[in-house]
Amino acid sequence: MLVGGIEGGGTKFVCAIGDTSGQVLHRERIPTTTPEETLRRSVEYFQAQQAARGEKLAAIGIASFGPVDLNPASPHYGFITRTPKPGWSYADVAGAVRRAFPDLPVGFDTDVNGAGLAEHRWGAARAWQTFVYITVGTGIGGGGMHEGRTLRGLIHPEMGHLLLPIRADDPLQRGVCPFHAYCFEGLASGPSIEKRWGQRGETLPPDHPAWELEAHYLAHAIMDIMAVLSPEGFVLGGSVMHQRQLFPMIRAKVAELANEYFVHPRLQNLDEYIVPPGLGDDAGVCGGFALALGALEEAQRV
């Protein structure tokens, strides 16, 4: 059985075909231009793959950048809502796919919730029922899972917009988020690193002071989330987390901030509490597969 997955990002959409084990069988990267062009090309990808394989997909899942509307009763269900991405506010992402494939179940969630579901099914969070997946890249997002289900409330968690105090020695005068002067995304995303130091993070050496400051902000956000949700662990993904020297720095700073307040055997070894994705850079697109399988399972129950 084949499923389709979309990892919808602010710079690219990754469309892929996979199986029920989460294996990526084929993928294509589509630049995120206008909603009309990007979604048209995404639909054409799946139509072409079905024709080439002579086999219909069982379902399609969309793990989208946001914010998004996840309320099935809302007239904007499946839409991106207010986003800093020009032209994408109130784009009907799920609707475009549903109209093209009216006989297929279509799953829809945030990119981080999707990645969290994939890590729970096939990756680093298989042993956890309650955990948080955070992606740190062009933006910052966090997806929470409780007892195997993604966290939703009035809308969905916006962990990237936790308000953090700017450190006194930070070269930035203000974070890069257009909505909040000093939020997690505005102070610790890839664009904030570039604005602060005048070059992209991947060009900075591992011992650059950028990474100690980055670990500082990441640890403060993790500490806040620990205090609110008490997860069994954190999975940290995204392009910025390719800097693997960040992990020991973050763990050390979290331990310092916690100051032995949280008492649990699992917290004695943060190497197993704050971890990279087991699926690597495929966590996002595998999130699309996980959402597709979830939508298929839901359709079969009805």
Side-chain angles (χ1 to χ4, degrees):
M1 185 170 64
L2 299 180
V3 293
I6 297 175
E7 178 189 6
T11 56
K12 66 181 183 301
F13 271 43
V14 181
C15 299
I17 303 297
D19 60 23
T20 56
S21 70
Q23 182 179 0
V24 179
L25 304 176
H26 188 272
R27 82 181 81 203
E28 182 173 315
R29 290 173 173 82
I30 297 169
T32 305
T33 55
T34 65
E36 295 76 18
E37 180 183 17
T38 307
L39 295 170
R40 174 183 57 78
R41 289 186 61 186
S42 298
V43 163
E44 289 172 352
Y45 168 80
F46 292 117
Q47 291 170 335
Q49 284 293 308
Q50 286 189 143
R53 295 171 185 273
E55 182 178 352
K56 283 187 63 176
L57 299 175
I60 297 174
I62 308 163
S64 174
F65 77 95
V68 296
D69 190 333
L70 299 178
N71 179 6
S74 167
H76 292 126
Y77 172 67
F79 283 54
I80 291 171
T81 59
R82 284 194 67 189
T83 175
K85 178 69 176 174
W88 280 81
S89 288
Y90 292 95
D92 184 6
V93 176
V97 176
R98 287 197 176 93
R99 288 188 290 273
F101 301 96
D103 56 339
L104 294 187
V106 176
F108 181 74
D109 211 320
T110 66
D111 48 0
V112 282
N113 275 349
L117 281 167
E119 287 292 324
H120 184 56
R121 272 190 186 258
W122 303 299
R126 281 175 292 179
W128 301 340
Q129 291 299 305
T130 300
F131 69 96
V132 170
Y133 180 96
I134 297 175
T135 186
V136 188
T138 304
I140 294 180
M145 290 193 68
H146 177 68
E147 298 300 324
R149 298 178 65 86
T150 58
L151 291 178
R152 299 183 187 180
L154 189 64
I155 45 172
H156 54 76
E158 280 286 1
M159 299 180 199
H161 295 272
L162 285 168
L163 300 183
L164 300 178
I166 190 166
R167 206 165 78 174
D169 63 343
D170 191 331
L172 279 183
Q173 299 297 307
R174 184 196 190 282
V176 299
C177 173
F179 295 100
H180 311 111
Y182 306 114
C183 69
F184 185 19
E185 178 172 292
L187 294 172
S189 62
S192 75
I193 296 171
E194 184 173 1
K195 184 175 181 181
R196 181 181 288 121
W197 304 108
Q199 58 191 103
R200 294 174 63 86
E202 58 265 33
T203 68
L204 298 172
D207 59 351
H208 192 279
W211 305 121
E212 186 278 327
L213 186 59
E214 181 72 8
H216 168 88
Y217 288 128
L218 286 162
H220 274 263
I222 288 169
M223 172 69 184
D224 288 349
I225 296 166
M226 285 175 66
V228 174
L229 297 180
S230 191
E232 295 172 69
F234 288 83
V235 181
L236 306 185
S239 59
V240 171
M241 298 311 303
H242 291 167
Q243 302 288 333
R244 290 306 171 92
Q245 74 275 13
L246 280 171
F247 280 93
M249 298 165 71
I250 293 165
R251 293 168 186 140
K253 177 60 75 171
V254 167
E256 177 188 330
L257 293 171
N259 199 27
E260 301 183 349
Y261 179 77
F262 302 104
V263 179
H264 191 279
R266 280 188 47 73
L267 298 177
Q268 300 304 307
N269 182 7
L270 295 185
D271 289 2
E272 298 177 0
Y273 186 73
I274 300 170
V275 301
L279 299 171
D281 289 338
D282 284 340
V285 74
C286 287
F289 300 158
L291 291 168
L293 290 170
L296 180 61
E297 291 158 6
E298 181 66 24
Q300 292 170 340
R301 283 194 292 268
V302 174

